[in-house]
Amino acid sequence: MQSQRELCSFPIAPSHKSKLTSAGFLITEDLKHLKPSELSKETGIGLEECLEILKLVCSESVDGSKRNEAPKPAVSALERLKEEQSLPPIITFSEGLDNMLGGGVPLCKITEFCGAPGVGKTQMCMQIAVDVQIPSQFGGLQGEAVYIDTEGSFIVERLVDIAKATVDHCNEMARLEGFKEGEITVESVLSGVHFYRCHDYVELLATVHLLPEFIKKHPKIKVVLVDSVAFHFRHDFDDLSLRTRLLTTMAQSFIKLATEFKIAIVLTNQMTTKFSPGEDSRLVPALGESWGHASTIRVILYWEGQKRWAWLYKSPSKKESRVPYQITMGGVRDIVTFPADNSNDQSDDEPSSKRQKVS
Amino acid sequence: MSSKKIRRIRSLSVDVVERLTKNNLITCKDVLSRSDLELLKLLGFGIFTIHNLRQQCSLACVPVCTTGLELLTKRKQGTGQFFQTSLHGLDHVLHGGIPMGTVTEIAGPSGCGKTQFCTMLSVQATLPGNRGGLEGKVLYMDTESAFSAERLVEIAQHKFPDLYNSEEDLCRMAENVLVDNHQTCASLIKKLESLEEEVITHRIRLVIVDSIASLVRKEFSSSAGSNLVQRTNFLSRQAALLKYIAEVFCIPVIVTNQITTRFGRQATEQDEEETTEISDGYVTVALGNTWSHNVNTRLILQYLDGEKRQVLVAKSPVAPFTAFNYTIQRDGIVQDEEGAGLYAGTDPGVQQINVRTSLPFYNT
Amino acid sequence: MSAVRPNLCPQLSEDVVSKLRSAGVKTVVDLIKTDLEGLALETSLPYKDLVIIRRLLLAQFSTFPVNCSDFYLTTIASSSIIPTPAEKLNELLDGGLYTSEVTEIAGEISSGKTQFCLSLCVSVVMKARQNVVFIDTCGGFSADRLAEIAESLYGEEHLEHILQSVKVIEAFDIFHLMTALQTIKDKMVKKVDPFYDTLKLLVVDSITAVIYPSLGGQQMDGHGLMVQLSLKLRHLAADFSLCVLVVNNVIGDGKVSLGKTWSHVPHCRLLISHPKDQESNVRELVLIKSSRLATGGKTKIGITEKGIEDWT
Amino acid sequence: MQSETGLQLLARLGSRPSIAGVLSPIFNDGPSAKDVIELFGTEGTGKSEILLNLVAGIILPKTWKSVNLNGKDASVIFIDNDYKFSILRLVTVMENRIHATLKNAPQAEENLTNDVELLIQKCLSKLSLIRCTNSSELLVTLYSLEQTLLSNPNISVIMIDSISAFYWIDKCNGGESLAAQEKNLTLISEVLSKFINSFSLIVIATKCALMKKRMREDYNLEKSASNIDRLKNDHQEFLCKAWGQLVTQRFHVEKQLASNHFKCHCIHLGSSKNADKTVIQFQITDNGIQVL
């Protein structure tokens, strides 16, 4: 029973595969200690292709993946637990949301926010892009963010508002605990957000493909945000199987990115109305059923009357739960339930003097 | 950009490019939307050449990366990033007015002032820079043939008497407003596709599409079923084109939308005293949920009582839910002093709109 | 079969090989297939040598039939049943998951597939005293959820032991997964790592995420890769009497993805779903395919901090 | 052919134990020598179950302790490419069958459990199992079987669980040319036909329905056509021509979703008898197949 790996389980062009099998090369053992010239003479494949096949099959460290790094060794769950506990999540300023997500947006995972129009998906992304840069003495990651915008709904002035609110908040906390102020400024926050504007799905694919090199060049990046991964895939896509294939491949490269560089991936998705026979039409996340499996954690943001709710719909480690939140001038905040505080929040007209709930 | 020809990528070797064209993979889009296995089968190269090819194509069409700071400084040098609407309360909340480079929608019941608003904005756009204008031409795409040149002139005369006191000033201003009539969706979409050189040749600084909903609701029935999907696709294509123009030329694009009646349970804590005479249905913005995604800012006009009207900021990336009263005067839309303030907003797709159902003389 | 090469067997010297090649005999199959008298004439090689070479090659490259009586004895000795934490489910599966079989659990989004795998890992480590390898292809593995289940079931003192007997491998595309399976097989054959000697359960979380991108489009070896992968999984299960648990997705109205070709692969297939009328943490399991049992049996489980439990 | 010893000559020419009448209702007059039977069906329709019951019926002795077990007392070679062969299931089927016949046989003594155990052990030695990883290995193994077939005259059936196991791998290895894709399977079919003719063997193989049903051009044909035409229409030959010509009988197995029963349609291919209309319903219970 040969325990060697068959050649056809490697990414080799079909025409080369047939030449290899007809020449009698079936398992990796056959190609051991063979020079490209010999292989080319025997099978009639071009010299460069022979070199690539030998490089692919024979060097144990090289496997079929895109980058030539060795396959990750088996890690015991204990080390994984230590690693998971050592990576602090990205805290947002709404305590309810943080507790629901288990401390904040976790690293090494794909978190997806699906939401109806105007419920605050873009606000959430901007809030996370700013929160990732909170200095470490306040429990932040002091990292940078990559913001990929496909919808064109990114208004830099809004980012300035959120950044200002966060900077004031941090300085306020610094004063209380006697740290040095000015650790974080609006300029440092703005220069920490790397912005890509993708006009169609091909540019999005290209950006995602080049992200590993980009992150290697900017090691401080801790979160990649894609605002509305659905926008370019929802209209004028005639071939649905191509769409699903592209989406699954992109999801796999996202999760590879997340685990390889220990960063968080945050996606937003739109909602669409589903007319299923029998029940009345209801809102479901866009991009169909098969996309749902791609994200590790899925949070559905929806309206109930005047209130905005976040519903943890899918999570490997947290129970299903819902928490209200609100969008203020300073960004995404908790709705603190004792009424006194709630009402004056609403009527306060001047945006800048908005009091933040200390998280 | 994605349709970049493979031939223009110099770093690819000759036989790679030749084999690509033999399999009619011409643009980066063809290469990038195929999986590794497909490329292996079509091209017959080794896996590392395929990875290198994908790398080169990605580098060729990846958008340029800028940081938030660069964006802010670029926006500051530009001709100001917001287009003033002359409603000072609204401008204040929207950080200076209608944001440039995005699509803004003005929705409301018929006769509530949508076209008046657009006409006033057209006048505003032709003003010189120091007066808050855009010093450029306006492209007014009218599908309901509701645009009236007299109203345009009347607003200009009364709003800016010092600028437009003479006859030929008014004529010059009127020439800057190019009105385009469209009766069918096909002609509208054709125009949108050829909009780019139109904007360049006439140096257009403001694009208005009056009632994007009327043509669509005429040609696609909104009942559930297949052509609803076509309708959504058509609208999304329109939105993509408009967004592209708005961003590339950094100009405001304004579309108007109509209202529709929705049945079924509306918001739960709807305040009781707002009883509407219609059955339990409620009135909201038309064209449904997917269209609401495509719009960045949504202003809803509604009736308050007989004479007064109200503009709601229903969806905006920068402003909270705020409402301002206004009345229509000879010099266009004028904001009332009192009555400004926050309102408890909800999903812009289902925001309830008050309509004037009974005739004014009836409820004196 | 592999090419005829000098060092294959003693009689095959250098010139014999070149003569055979000139006569068009390149692979072992060619040699075995051709009529030897004609070949002897053509290559002027002694007929006797050719017969010896043929017999040696036959012996070397074919698998020998195994007599079923001793196969029965070895199977009895090595196969065992892995009980799941839910009693009623064990009754449905006639004792639990069987080794040397590929079991598949398919479900929609957030239907509890990963929870099922995690709580099964804990029960294998504690009840069967065996090790587990968890291959994660979509980032769904959460170590602190595994720790939570282990701690709430068996308390603090066993936590360390449980976590050390579960190994996690990340594989994000089909070739990564093939390499991972190959390394597991090598380690078990070479017996170099004690962890793999007592390996009993192999979990592959979301096989769809890995296979789906290679199907469809203008290529045709996607199916070949899928069947290759399924063969590897079944060989691992049968040859090392492992229990292989594969997670698959359900799309649309209850249709399990990956189509007809994959439907033949698993020996037994469970469908997990979230019935609309039940509380948020109740799930229903249906046996929709089994080579041993009557299908169609249903049972209900609840997902709690202790993993999955019977739902009365 | 090489020179043969006398024994081998006898083995080749001598009659192999016939297994006519085994699992009678399904193979009504029993698979006769030189038959090639194909069990075709989608997943979970009991193809492997039928094979197991066949094996049980064949390797059991005719009589045992003066009780008529109506076994065929013949040997079987089982080639398991799908790795689905479960010997525990086979043993349970044999045990239940023996106990069933013992129960209603009057002169049976009381508990014979260890005797039954020994009997089963003896029967199992008549079954030999082969597991291959790819089609080339299967081909070489078949060639090496020639020796065992010559030396053991008792073997009368070769069973292959899923001849279509390596279809996709060969298709992917073969590159563009169809001939290269089907090379191995054609050679396998040739070897099998050589064995059938020279050793008058029986070959029983299962085939999985890997392809979706063909788009039926006119839908009304499907409704009006009789069962057999519909099934012919369902079955779409995707293996090579050589195998197609080899098959003499095809059993199309279907599963009735509602009642958990199975239906098995027998179709004679190319043989003189007209298309046989026999449709047999059976149920799978703990002790094997119960014909309804």
Side-chain angles (χ1 to χ4, degrees):
Chain A
M1 196 274 299
Q2 27 101 319
S3 72
Q4 286 293 333
R5 180 171 170 185
E6 293 78 13
L7 283 188
C8 88
S9 68
F10 284 96
I12 299 173
S15 51
H16 298 172
K17 268 190 200 155
S18 59
K19 288 186 185 128
L20 285 172
T21 34
S22 59
F25 297 102
L26 273 183
I27 51 176
T28 47
E29 196 56 40
D30 304 341
L31 289 178
K32 270 278 185 296
H33 335 297
L34 203 64
K35 285 197 285 301
S37 50
E38 287 161 352
L39 181 62
S40 172
K41 183 157 57 61
E42 225 169 291
T43 56
I45 304 175
L47 277 173
E48 314 83 16
E49 282 87 11
C50 283
L51 180 64
E52 287 190 29
I53 291 174
L54 286 173
K55 216 163 70 168
L56 172 69
V57 171
C58 292
S59 55
E60 276 323 310
S61 72
V62 170
D63 62 3
S65 72
K66 284 203 171 48
R67 257 134 330 273
N68 301 350
E69 89 284 2
K72 286 178 241 342
V75 171
S76 89
L78 193 60
E79 285 142 38
R80 276 297 288 265
L81 184 63
K82 290 199 179 73
E83 190 191 290
E84 269 176 26
Q85 280 159 353
S86 68
L87 291 173
I90 303 172
I91 48 167
T92 65
F93 273 123
S94 55
E95 212 170 317
L97 219 53
D98 285 356
N99 297 344
M100 183 172 81
L101 290 171
V105 177
L107 298 183
C108 307
K109 293 264 187 298
I110 298 183
T111 311
E112 181 183 5
F113 290 100
C114 317
V119 80
K121 299 193 296 294
T122 308
Q123 308 297 317
M124 190 68 82
C125 283
M126 289 189 190
Q127 181 69 56
I128 293 173
V130 171
D131 288 344
V132 79
Q133 315 193 31
I134 296 175
S136 41
Q137 70 251 31
F138 303 122
L141 290 162
Q142 206 157 350
E144 288 174 2
V146 172
Y147 195 105
I148 300 175
D149 178 19
T150 60
E151 267 183 354
S153 59
F154 180 87
I155 311 274
V156 73
E157 286 76 11
R158 181 60 183 151
L159 188 67
V160 171
D161 284 352
I162 298 180
K164 217 181 268 133
T166 313
V167 167
D168 298 346
H169 183 61
C170 286
N171 289 342
E172 193 186 318
M173 283 205 320
R175 257 198 320 281
L176 291 179
E177 279 123 13
F179 288 124
K180 190 169 59 51
E181 274 181 58
E183 188 72 43
I184 168 174
T185 66
V186 176
E187 285 66 27
S188 73
V189 169
L190 287 181
S191 56
V193 176
H194 304 273
F195 179 75
Y196 280 96
R197 170 70 173 99
C198 296
H199 286 288
D200 60 20
Y201 76 88
V202 180
E203 288 183 10
L204 179 60
L205 286 174
T207 319
V208 168
H209 183 71
L210 293 174
L211 271 182
E213 281 78 26
F214 186 80
I215 295 177
K216 281 193 186 111
K217 276 204 288 294
H218 303 79
K220 283 180 66 165
I221 285 179
K222 281 283 179 282
V223 70
V224 171
L225 296 133
V226 182
D227 190 3
S228 172
V229 68
F231 185 72
H232 291 307
F233 286 101
R234 285 194 64 187
H235 54 79
D236 64 45
F237 228 105
D238 32 27
D239 177 351
L240 279 186
S241 69
L242 171 67
R243 178 180 91 160
T244 324
R245 215 173 30 256
L246 290 179
L247 283 172
T248 334
T249 323
M250 197 164 66
Q252 287 308 110
S253 40
F254 272 141
I255 192 64
K256 190 184 283 185
L257 212 62
T259 43
E260 194 181 324
F261 294 100
K262 304 280 180 289
I263 58 174
I265 306 275
V266 175
L267 310 175
T268 59
N269 191 358
Q270 299 173 347
M271 305 286 272
T272 178
T273 37
K274 185 163 191 281
F275 299 100
S276 50
E279 322 121 16
D280 50 8
S281 68
R282 48 190 172 74
L283 280 181
V284 287
L287 298 181
E289 295 280 332
S290 51
W291 168 255
H293 297 282
S295 47
T296 330
I297 294 168
R298 173 173 265 194
V299 177
I300 293 188
L301 311 175
Y302 64 98
W303 287 99
E304 212 168 272
Q306 268 76 41
K307 269 229 184 63
R308 304 174 200 239
W309 285 83
W311 170 22
L312 182 64
Y313 182 74
K314 170 187 180 191
S315 156
S317 52
K318 283 281 166 284
K319 234 165 66 59
E320 211 178 283
S321 60
R322 299 163 193 253
V323 70
Y325 69 97
Q326 62 176 333
I327 303 287
T328 63
M329 286 312 283
V332 177
R333 293 296 180 276
D334 253 345
I335 290 189
V336 185
T337 45
F338 39 85
D341 197 6
N342 187 353
S343 58
N344 71 27
D345 243 344
Q346 286 294 6
S347 66
D348 203 326
D349 208 8
E350 278 319 306
S352 57
S353 71
K354 181 73 60 198
R355 267 186 302 98
Q356 264 77 46
K357 300 292 149 291
V358 176
S359 71
Chain B
M1 40 82 182
S2 69
S3 55
K4 183 169 189 176
K5 295 285 186 296
I6 301 279
R7 256 190 311 284
R8 287 180 45 218
I9 306 173
R10 270 171 309 286
S11 52
L12 286 181
S13 70
V14 172
D15 66 343
V16 169
V17 174
E18 165 257 312
R19 225 181 272 195
L20 279 169
T21 38
K22 190 156 60 62
N23 288 288
N24 61 46
L25 299 176
I26 312 293
T27 64
C28 294
K29 176 175 181 166
D30 303 337
V31 173
L32 284 178
S33 57
R34 279 178 173 66
S35 67
D36 279 0
L37 292 174
E38 285 169 286
L39 290 178
L40 277 172
K41 174 182 182 303
L42 288 174
L43 306 175
F45 287 118
I47 189 69
F48 297 107
T49 331
I50 301 285
H51 290 161
N52 183 1
L53 169 66
R54 192 180 289 276
Q55 184 82 6
Q56 299 304 333
C57 291
S58 306
L59 283 170
C61 66
V62 70
V64 71
C65 167
T66 61
T67 67
L69 204 56
E70 288 151 14
L71 268 178
L72 190 61
T73 43
K74 192 153 65 65
R75 284 288 283 242
K76 280 224 166 48
Q77 296 130 10
T79 58
Q81 56 276 36
F82 292 96
F83 171 50
Q84 288 177 348
T85 64
S86 78
L87 296 173
H88 57 81
L90 189 63
D91 289 350
H92 171 65
V93 162
L94 291 175
H95 272 267
I98 293 180
M100 302 264 206
T102 61
V103 176
T104 305
E105 177 195 64
I106 299 173
S110 59
C112 198
K114 297 198 294 295
T115 309
Q116 303 288 345
F117 206 140
C118 292
T119 317
M120 186 191 73
L121 288 177
S122 317
V123 171
Q124 183 83 21
T126 57
L127 291 177
N130 51 28
R131 295 294 294 272
L134 299 170
E135 291 168 28
K137 287 199 165 71
V138 177
L139 176 63
Y140 196 109
M141 282 184 266
D142 186 2
T143 62
E144 286 169 342
S145 57
F147 179 81
S148 81
E150 297 80 18
R151 183 62 178 138
L152 181 81
V153 167
E154 187 191 10
I155 291 179
Q157 253 168 349
H158 289 84
K159 204 167 176 63
F160 309 98
D162 53 349
L163 278 174
Y164 296 115
N165 41 31
S166 68
E167 194 58 32
E168 82 289 343
D169 289 354
L170 285 172
C171 292
R172 206 166 9 79
M173 185 274 290
E175 275 148 20
N176 286 343
V177 180
L178 312 168
V179 181
D180 215 6
N181 270 323
H182 295 277
Q183 304 310 330
T184 65
C185 286
S187 81
L188 181 62
I189 202 79
K190 198 159 58 60
K191 176 76 182 201
L192 287 183
E193 267 141 7
S194 67
L195 197 54
E196 190 152 341
E197 92 265 3
E198 182 100 9
V199 169
I200 295 168
T201 45
H202 296 98
R203 250 179 38 74
I204 288 177
R205 297 297 297 145
L206 170 64
V207 171
I208 295 179
V209 181
D210 194 350
S211 177
I212 206 159
S214 65
L215 286 181
V216 165
R217 298 174 92 180
K218 207 165 41 175
E219 292 186 13
F220 301 88
S221 79
S222 72
S223 65
S226 73
N227 66 5
L228 189 65
V229 173
Q230 280 138 17
R231 184 182 88 157
T232 323
N233 276 346
F234 178 76
L235 283 172
S236 308
R237 230 166 79 232
Q238 258 180 334
L241 289 168
L242 287 173
K243 262 186 210 258
Y244 184 75
I245 295 294
E247 241 161 77
V248 166
F249 299 97
C250 198
I251 56 174
V253 169
I254 296 171
V255 291
T256 62
N257 194 350
Q258 294 172 349
I259 54 169
T260 178
T261 321
R262 270 204 193 201
F263 294 94
R265 200 180 42 73
Q266 207 265 338
T268 46
E269 304 98 357
Q270 184 59 36
D271 341 339
E272 273 52 38
E273 76 277 4
E274 255 185 49
T275 56
T276 55
E277 289 77 11
I278 321 169
S279 67
D280 61 0
Y282 57 94
V283 170
T284 177
V285 182
L287 300 183
N289 164 34
T290 313
W291 169 254
S292 321
H293 275 297
N294 296 335
V295 175
N296 302 106
T297 313
R298 167 171 282 177
L299 307 175
I300 294 182
L301 312 181
Q302 66 174 359
Y303 290 95
L304 210 49
D305 50 37
E307 200 40 53
K308 274 212 194 46
R309 294 183 174 90
Q310 199 178 35
V311 58
L312 307 173
V313 179
K315 175 183 180 192
S316 158
V318 283
F321 292 121
T322 41
F324 304 93
N325 298 351
Y326 70 89
T327 53
I328 300 185
Q329 306 297 345
R330 289 176 63 96
D331 54 357
I333 308 269
V334 175
Q335 183 183 349
D336 288 0
E337 279 331 307
E338 21 68 30
L342 292 168
Y343 74 98
T346 173
D347 183 343
V350 291
Q351 171 66 42
Q352 162 124 9
I353 299 174
N354 296 341
V355 285
R356 189 176 48 173
T357 52
S358 55
L359 296 180
F361 61 81
Y362 177 65
N363 61 5
T364 49
Chain C
M1 217 44 205
S2 42
V4 176
R5 276 191 309 282
N7 49 25
L8 219 49
C9 63
Q11 287 79 1
L12 270 178
S13 62
E14 191 59 47
D15 65 347
V16 169
V17 169
S18 53
K19 281 213 186 73
L20 286 177
R21 272 229 181 100
S22 58
V25 172
K26 283 216 292 277
T27 66
V28 170
V29 173
D30 298 345
L31 180 65
I32 292 172
K33 163 160 73 75
T34 53
D35 144 41
L36 292 183
E37 278 126 6
L39 187 63
L41 290 177
E42 196 181 335
T43 59
S44 67
L45 289 168
Y47 175 73
K48 189 164 55 48
D49 291 357
L50 287 178
V51 168
I52 296 166
I53 294 173
R54 183 172 187 271
R55 191 173 297 117
L56 278 172
L57 289 181
L58 269 182
Q60 191 177 350
F61 283 99
S62 66
T63 50
F64 288 102
V66 170
N67 193 309
C68 268
S69 51
D70 37 42
F71 179 72
Y72 177 47
L73 297 177
T74 44
T75 319
I76 292 246
S78 62
S79 76
S80 60
I81 300 177
I82 296 183
T84 67
E87 268 336 298
K88 287 224 262 325
L89 180 59
N90 292 339
E91 282 147 29
L92 179 72
L93 296 171
D94 186 17
L97 302 182
Y98 276 48
T99 55
S100 65
E101 264 192 11
V102 176
T103 312
E104 180 182 273
I105 177 159
E108 296 205 353
I109 310 161
S110 87
S111 56
K113 308 191 282 290
T114 309
Q115 300 307 314
F116 182 84
C117 298
L118 290 178
S119 59
L120 194 65
C121 291
V122 174
S123 89
V124 161
V125 170
M126 285 316 283
K127 287 185 186 152
R129 286 279 171 270
Q130 304 282 348
N131 293 336
V132 178
V133 166
F134 193 107
I135 301 184
D136 180 14
T137 65
C138 63
F141 180 80
S142 141
D144 67 3
R145 172 63 176 151
L146 186 69
E148 185 191 6
I149 297 174
E151 208 163 342
S152 56
L153 276 178
Y154 294 100
E156 182 69 30
E157 63 284 4
H158 292 291
L159 183 60
E160 184 96 8
H161 160 64
I162 291 174
L163 289 178
Q164 254 152 1
S165 19
V166 176
K167 273 208 167 16
V168 183
I169 302 176
E170 278 160 358
F172 297 120
D173 59 50
I174 196 162
F175 306 108
H176 252 107
L177 184 55
M178 298 260 197
T179 319
L181 293 178
Q182 190 62 36
T183 41
I184 291 175
K185 184 186 274 189
D186 293 346
K187 285 208 171 102
M188 296 187 81
V189 167
K190 296 198 186 80
K191 294 225 181 319
V192 66
D193 181 345
F195 175 87
Y196 289 91
D197 299 345
T198 58
L199 176 65
K200 189 53 75 183
L201 173 66
L202 171 66
V203 180
V204 182
D205 191 354
S206 172
I207 195 98
T208 333
V210 158
I211 291 180
Y212 205 85
S214 64
L215 293 180
Q218 294 156 322
Q219 43 81 25
M220 55 186 190
D221 48 14
H223 274 85
L225 285 172
M226 176 161 72
V227 172
Q228 187 71 39
L229 188 62
S230 67
L231 278 180
K232 271 192 189 311
L233 287 173
R234 283 206 295 252
H235 294 177
L236 269 176
D239 299 342
F240 302 99
S241 69
L242 291 179
C243 168
V244 176
L245 177 64
V246 171
V247 173
N248 199 347
N249 298 341
V250 165
I251 45 173
D253 42 17
K255 198 163 66 65
V256 188
S257 61
L258 293 184
K260 281 173 92 74
T261 313
W262 181 263
S263 61
H264 293 280
V265 168
H267 296 79
C268 136
R269 189 176 247 190
L270 280 166
L271 193 67
I272 184 168
S273 61
H274 178 189
K276 289 276 177 305
D277 47 6
Q278 301 284 349
E279 290 85 10
S280 73
N281 68 343
V282 172
R283 298 293 186 273
E284 186 185 57
L285 277 158
V286 184
L287 182 66
I288 52 174
K289 182 201 173 195
S290 166
S291 51
R292 289 181 282 100
L293 306 160
T295 57
K298 283 192 171 65
T299 179
K300 282 203 168 52
I301 57 166
I303 299 179
T304 63
E305 71 286 350
K306 288 192 169 60
I308 64 166
E309 281 166 352
D310 276 323
W311 180 261
T312 48
Chain D
M1 286 304 289
Q2 315 94 315
S3 60
E4 282 167 330
T5 63
L7 175 68
Q8 284 158 349
L9 185 63
L10 180 65
R12 189 161 61 74
L13 295 178
S15 67
R16 306 238 162 206
S18 109
I19 58 166
V22 69
L23 214 55
S24 63
I26 292 185
F27 304 93
N28 36 36
D29 54 4
S32 52
K34 293 199 169 102
D35 262 354
V36 177
I37 295 163
E38 187 188 80
L39 300 175
F40 176 78
T42 57
E43 43 97 10
T45 51
K47 304 193 287 293
S48 308
E49 192 60 29
I50 293 177
L51 279 192
L52 277 188
N53 281 271
L54 269 176
V55 167
I58 291 166
I59 58 179
L60 278 174
K62 285 193 177 44
T63 60
W64 176 67
K65 283 194 179 359
S66 74
V67 168
N68 176 9
L69 294 172
N70 63 49
K72 301 304 170 199
D73 196 6
S75 303
V76 179
I77 294 182
F78 195 101
I79 301 176
D80 177 24
N81 300 334
D82 265 351
Y83 277 66
K84 282 255 182 71
F85 178 75
S86 118
I87 191 141
L88 303 174
R89 176 77 187 140
L90 175 64
V91 170
T92 36
V93 167
M94 289 166 74
E95 270 163 7
N96 294 345
R97 186 174 162 137
I98 292 170
H99 287 304
T101 40
L102 277 184
K103 220 170 25 298
N104 48 36
Q107 76 283 7
E109 297 88 6
E110 40 341 301
N111 67 348
L112 293 162
T113 41
N114 38 28
D115 299 356
V116 171
E117 197 58 38
L118 277 175
L119 167 66
I120 287 180
Q121 203 65 17
K122 197 160 64 58
C123 294
L124 282 182
S125 61
K126 284 184 267 179
L127 171 67
S128 43
L129 177 71
I130 297 174
R131 280 179 159 165
C132 305
T133 53
N134 58 48
S135 51
S136 311
E137 194 179 330
L138 174 59
L139 180 61
V140 174
T141 317
L142 282 179
Y143 277 113
S144 65
L145 273 187
E146 195 170 357
Q147 213 45 40
T148 39
L149 286 174
L150 282 173
S151 55
N152 178 349
N154 209 349
I155 298 174
S156 59
V157 188
I158 293 185
M159 291 189 185
I160 305 174
D161 196 352
S162 142
I163 185 86
S164 60
F166 307 118
Y167 167 74
W168 280 113
I169 297 179
D170 292 348
K171 196 167 175 53
C172 143
N173 273 351
E176 263 76 17
S177 78
L178 195 57
Q181 288 165 13
E182 292 176 347
K183 182 161 78 72
N184 277 353
L185 198 55
T186 322
L187 291 176
I188 289 172
S189 312
E190 277 154 21
V191 174
L192 286 177
S193 68
K194 195 165 68 112
F195 287 167
I196 291 165
N197 298 331
S198 55
F199 303 118
S200 67
L201 278 178
I202 295 164
V203 171
I204 302 174
T206 61
K207 185 164 83 174
C208 309
L210 296 179
M211 297 292 179
K212 280 199 280 293
K213 287 198 185 68
R214 258 200 317 256
M215 288 309 145
R216 263 193 273 308
E217 303 74 16
D218 36 17
Y219 184 65
N220 46 36
L221 159 77
E222 199 251 332
K223 263 204 297 300
S224 64
S226 73
N227 241 343
I228 299 298
D229 303 344
R230 180 171 62 81
L231 287 176
K232 270 210 180 66
N233 208 332
D234 274 1
H235 171 265
Q236 182 203 350
E237 184 54 73
F238 53 89
L239 292 181
C240 62
K241 234 181 0 314
W243 172 257
Q245 281 143 11
L246 203 59
V247 177
T248 57
Q249 267 182 20
R250 175 172 305 122
F251 285 79
H252 193 112
V253 194
E254 271 175 352
K255 181 172 183 187
Q256 315 294 97
L257 281 185
S259 65
N260 219 340
H261 295 301
F262 297 83
K263 247 166 68 175
C264 165
H265 306 262
C266 161
I267 305 164
H268 286 274
L269 297 163
S271 67
S272 58
K273 279 179 288 193
N274 52 24
D276 193 334
K277 293 282 182 304
T278 52
V279 176
I280 297 119
Q281 291 225 333
F282 62 91
Q283 205 180 4
I284 297 183
T285 60
D286 280 353
N287 43 30
I289 287 188
Q290 298 313 60
V291 177
L292 300 177

